[in-house]
Amino acid sequence: MKYLVLAFFALPFSATSQPPQVPHKLQFAGMTLTIRDDARREIQQDVDALTRSPKHFKIKVERARTYFPIIEQVFAEERLPDDFKYLVLQESALIPDAVSVSQAVGFWQFKDFTAVEMGLRVDRHVDERMNIVSSTRAAARYIKKNNFYFNNWLHALQAYQMGAGGAMKAIKDDKAGAKHMEITSRTYWYVKKYLAHKIAFADAVEGPGELMVATLPSNGHNSLGELAKAMSVTEDELLSYNKWLRRSAIPDDKDYAILVPVNDLTKDYLVTVHAATAGDAARAAGKSSASVQVATASVHKTSRTSINGVAAIAANPGEDGAAIADRAGISLSHFLRYNDIGINHKPAPGAYYFVGKKRARAGNAYHKVSEGENLWRISQQYGVQLKKILRFNRLKANSRPEPGTVLSLSGRKPKDGGPGIPARDVLEVDTNSLFAWSAGPESTSASGEPSTVNEPEEAGEMPATEASQPFAGKPDPKPGTGTATVETNTDTVVEEKAEDAVNKLPATTDEGINGLPAQHEVLAGETLYGIARQHNIAVMDIVRWNELDLNDGIKPGQILKLAGAKEETDAVPDDTLAEIVHEVEATDTLYSVARKYDVTIKELMEWNNKSDFTIHVGEKLKVLQR
């Protein structure tokens, strides 16, 4: 398994007397947010409250330093903007077994139905909502699914709390692909609360902390007791890190990520396991034992990080480019291209090198050149392509800017050389390599695959109330999130999530209803959400009628059917549905059975009078098949 994530904690945290101040402009997921004064005052109050108690603030900071490296890695694999990691502090304060009054559980506060729909196992043996790797991956996919409707990460954030259907009712305007938006007092409270968490914690969580953890694959481990004995730690200690397990036995239905502490007692075991895993992979790939030794050595320190959302790996002493590329699992040619270097480049020990394509824009808008800096080092520091820095600043490949020169890292510098807005106020990143679900002109993503991008210039506003003409669409599985109770120095406030209750309008038929067309040709810049609003039908109806994959976008010129099969309007009443019996097999779960018969988990539970998700081999399940 690819997870072996280390997080170091060494430096004590000391809270400052002055809390972070809410800026007028803030970068979020590739968007520049302009925060109006009325909203700044509200957000500042939340920032002040979050930082008022040094004790409680430090506790959350230390948890973030423990878990953020794991979350960042999962987000990088899922290609979700890194900024969403601060949402977990808002949801659960990174308490694995946090429970809200609405019975949302775990790091990312999923309700049971939504958790299972997102592929998590929730039963009397396992609750993956408390597994940092599994739940983070589910959260990433849930957020991406919401962004499928809006092509707007800020709207997707709002939908995490309201559900996609609820957000569709509340959002007034279709701001697909917007790169600039305003935050005002009318902005939804959950979004402003998130921004307060990002501002309060962004600087504090940087750097190492006091605790180091790692994740190991469950494959080959039968119980935590067995693993604890091998690592020379107590079983109770491992259980405290793995509350997702209801008992010591580790199920073998799939590979789980086991969280373990990294200390003097466990380090040797981790090195041995990692060496064995790397050795198996190396032998399968026909690699040399040297790569195994290098990979094993990486256990002893944090060798991976993320810069501008791109994975990077630290060079070990004595390594050349080929050894780093081998350890990272990429080809040498890719490694050289990703880092804008030649074959004769000698890596500096401890320096970070990218194992993925750098971004087209940096997280910071500007950089002031210091003594001894060159363009390549600046490119590596910010994770932005060297050719982009040259183009933005109208420089030649062999240019060496003088110290004090202000370089643009996010856009073409004015010809007069003026720096424009200070870098602290404007931060923009490239969105082309992330998900853009609108239909725009085809371009190439960071991975080299075609993508569709839409970049309207108008700024949008994040609404807080329902639209004057709310969209009535069929909801996706209702949001399974709820903000948990966490410790503060003030009275504890429990915020319960709103339920997603959106009524479905009658769907059009192949001939259309009330003169509506039976199909729609996608234009550049359109989203499914916008198309659904235009024709006053449900987003998920369009998805179902056209068998769309939620992981794919729509493209200009694509023909979408705006009508489902006629039998939908002539559906057989529930009391005449055919009843069948499904006998549970060893590999079955309620989720897989529901998928097999195209019914919901809730229906299965109601038909069979179940109070939880547990099923047994040989059990007979009643299914009313449509």
Side-chain angles (χ1 to χ4, degrees):
M1 185 175 178
K2 54 189 169 186
Y3 292 105
L4 185 61
V5 185
L6 306 181
F8 289 89
F9 292 74
L11 302 177
F13 169 79
S14 58
T16 61
S17 57
Q18 180 68 27
Q21 298 300 296
V22 179
H24 289 283
K25 291 184 182 291
L26 183 70
Q27 182 273 331
F28 165 73
M31 304 168 67
T32 299
L33 306 180
T34 299
I35 307 177
R36 297 304 179 194
D37 288 343
D38 53 358
R40 286 182 66 231
R41 288 190 290 269
E42 294 179 47
I43 297 172
Q44 189 64 58
Q45 290 178 353
D46 284 334
V47 172
D48 294 345
L50 288 168
T51 57
R52 186 171 294 127
S53 168
K55 174 185 176 181
H56 293 110
F57 186 70
K58 178 182 177 181
I59 289 172
K60 294 178 184 178
V61 166
E62 291 300 337
R63 290 187 193 132
R65 290 175 171 178
T66 299
Y67 291 113
F68 270 12
I70 299 174
I71 293 172
E72 289 165 358
Q73 179 175 339
V74 173
F75 280 4
E77 292 168 358
E78 293 292 332
R79 301 183 68 204
L80 183 77
D82 191 69
D83 280 325
F84 279 100
K85 66 187 178 186
Y86 299 105
L87 184 60
V88 74
L89 288 168
Q90 177 178 348
E91 285 291 327
S92 68
L94 281 165
I95 300 172
D97 54 353
V99 181
S100 74
V101 294
S102 60
Q103 298 304 303
V105 173
F107 289 103
W108 293 93
Q109 290 291 281
F110 279 107
K111 292 183 181 178
D112 47 14
F113 286 108
T114 306
V116 174
E117 290 291 343
M118 296 310 298
L120 299 180
R121 179 174 172 179
V122 180
D123 55 35
R124 64 180 181 179
H125 301 292
V126 169
D127 190 339
E128 285 191 281
R129 294 176 292 181
M130 304 181 200
N131 184 301
I132 184 62
V133 173
S134 302
S135 64
T136 298
R137 196 172 301 284
R141 292 175 178 176
Y142 187 81
I143 294 168
K144 290 192 299 183
K145 177 182 177 183
N146 288 334
N147 194 51
F148 179 84
Y149 309 123
F150 303 107
N151 184 26
N152 184 305
W153 291 116
L154 207 62
H155 292 340
L157 172 64
Q158 180 171 345
Y160 192 84
Q161 194 271 341
M162 300 180 73
M168 289 173 192
K169 289 183 63 180
I171 294 170
K172 294 180 179 180
D173 301 314
D174 181 12
K175 293 297 179 182
K179 298 187 69 175
H180 299 80
M181 292 188 70
E182 289 188 347
I183 304 297
T184 73
S185 60
R186 296 178 60 249
T187 298
Y188 191 57
W189 67 268
Y190 186 80
V191 172
K192 290 182 287 189
K193 186 80 69 175
Y194 161 82
L195 294 177
H197 279 79
K198 174 176 166 58
I199 293 166
F201 289 97
D203 292 334
V205 299
E206 295 297 327
E210 298 173 352
L211 179 67
M212 180 166 58
V213 296
T215 57
L216 288 178
S218 63
N219 184 28
H221 300 105
N222 297 320
S223 70
L224 286 184
E226 171 195 289
L227 180 59
K229 184 177 180 180
M231 300 184 73
S232 300
V233 297
T234 66
E235 183 176 339
D236 287 342
E237 184 175 4
L238 284 189
L239 279 170
S240 69
Y241 285 92
N242 295 276
K243 295 183 178 181
W244 56 276
L245 276 173
R246 305 289 197 185
R247 57 189 67 180
S248 178
I250 302 174
D252 60 0
D253 59 313
K254 63 179 180 179
D255 205 9
Y256 298 93
I258 303 173
L259 196 65
V260 298
V262 178
N263 51 44
D264 291 339
L265 292 175
T266 63
K267 189 173 294 184
D268 288 342
Y269 180 81
L270 290 171
V271 171
T272 302
V273 170
H274 189 51
T277 303
D280 290 342
R283 284 187 290 272
K287 296 179 181 179
S288 68
S289 60
S291 64
V292 177
Q293 295 171 359
V294 171
T296 302
S298 68
V299 173
H300 292 282
K301 69 172 191 170
T302 302
S303 62
R304 293 179 182 269
T305 189
S306 177
I307 301 173
N308 198 17
V310 184
I313 188 170
N316 287 324
E319 282 189 312
D320 59 11
I324 301 175
D326 187 37
R327 177 156 57 95
I330 61 176
S331 68
L332 177 59
S333 61
H334 280 92
F335 175 79
L336 298 176
R337 186 166 70 252
Y338 293 156
N339 292 278
D340 298 308
I341 57 178
I343 190 66
N344 294 323
H345 176 87
K346 294 183 178 180
Y352 283 103
Y353 290 84
F354 292 97
V355 296
K357 187 177 181 181
K358 288 185 285 188
R359 303 297 189 203
R361 293 180 177 86
N364 288 30
Y366 297 95
H367 174 81
K368 187 175 181 179
V369 179
S370 301
E371 187 71 36
E373 283 189 320
N374 58 37
L375 292 177
W376 178 79
R377 289 184 179 179
I378 296 169
S379 167
Q380 295 292 102
Q381 177 183 346
Y382 290 98
V384 61
Q385 298 167 26
L386 179 58
K387 65 180 181 181
K388 294 294 184 181
I389 295 180
L390 295 172
R391 186 171 68 84
F392 291 158
N393 296 276
R394 298 180 172 84
L395 297 173
K396 296 181 180 180
N398 58 353
S399 299
R400 295 189 64 87
E402 295 293 328
T405 302
V406 176
L407 296 177
S408 176
L409 304 178
S410 63
R412 197 69 175 246
K413 191 174 182 179
K415 288 186 177 180
D416 60 9
I421 303 173
R424 66 178 182 274
D425 291 336
V426 178
L427 299 173
E428 295 184 15
V429 298
D430 179 42
T431 58
N432 294 1
S433 60
L434 298 172
F435 287 88
W437 295 118
S438 65
E442 290 194 3
S443 62
T444 302
S445 70
S447 63
E449 296 297 327
S451 63
T452 55
V453 182
N454 177 45
E455 300 179 356
E457 296 180 356
E458 296 182 0
E461 180 179 299
M462 194 67 184
T465 58
E466 292 186 5
S468 57
Q469 294 180 341
F471 170 80
K474 180 179 179 181
D476 62 338
K478 63 185 179 181
T481 58
T483 303
T485 302
V486 297
E487 73 278 17
T488 65
N489 64 317
T490 57
D491 293 338
T492 300
V493 179
V494 179
E495 299 160 343
E496 183 172 357
K497 304 293 178 141
E499 295 292 339
D500 179 8
V502 186
N503 296 322
K504 176 182 174 183
L505 291 176
T508 59
T509 66
D510 288 331
E511 289 78 22
I513 288 180
N514 297 329
L516 291 177
Q519 64 184 28
H520 177 96
E521 182 175 352
V522 179
L523 302 177
E526 286 191 313
T527 64
L528 282 178
Y529 171 53
I531 295 169
R533 287 194 64 166
Q534 177 182 341
H535 298 289
N536 202 28
I537 56 179
V539 172
M540 289 309 295
D541 281 344
I542 300 178
V543 172
R544 187 175 65 256
W545 295 335
N546 294 275
E547 298 181 350
L548 299 178
D549 187 339
L550 290 179
N551 289 317
D552 293 331
I554 54 176
K555 297 178 176 60
Q558 183 176 353
I559 303 299
L560 298 176
K561 292 186 293 184
L562 299 183
K566 287 187 177 181
E567 54 264 25
E568 289 194 26
T569 58
D570 302 324
V572 181
D574 284 347
D575 56 0
T576 62
L577 295 178
E579 179 178 326
I580 63 174
V581 175
H582 174 86
E583 183 173 345
V584 176
E585 299 177 355
T587 58
D588 281 342
T589 64
L590 274 184
Y591 178 63
S592 66
V593 175
R595 288 287 297 273
K596 179 177 181 179
Y597 295 103
D598 194 24
V599 298
T600 67
I601 295 174
K602 185 176 181 181
E603 287 173 332
L604 277 180
M605 295 181 72
E606 290 176 349
W607 295 335
N608 294 276
N609 297 318
K610 284 189 167 293
S611 58
D612 59 35
F613 300 110
T614 304
I615 57 177
H616 307 284
V617 176
E619 181 179 355
K620 304 290 194 300
L621 294 178
K622 180 172 69 174
V623 181
L624 299 181
Q625 193 171 25
R626 296 182 174 87

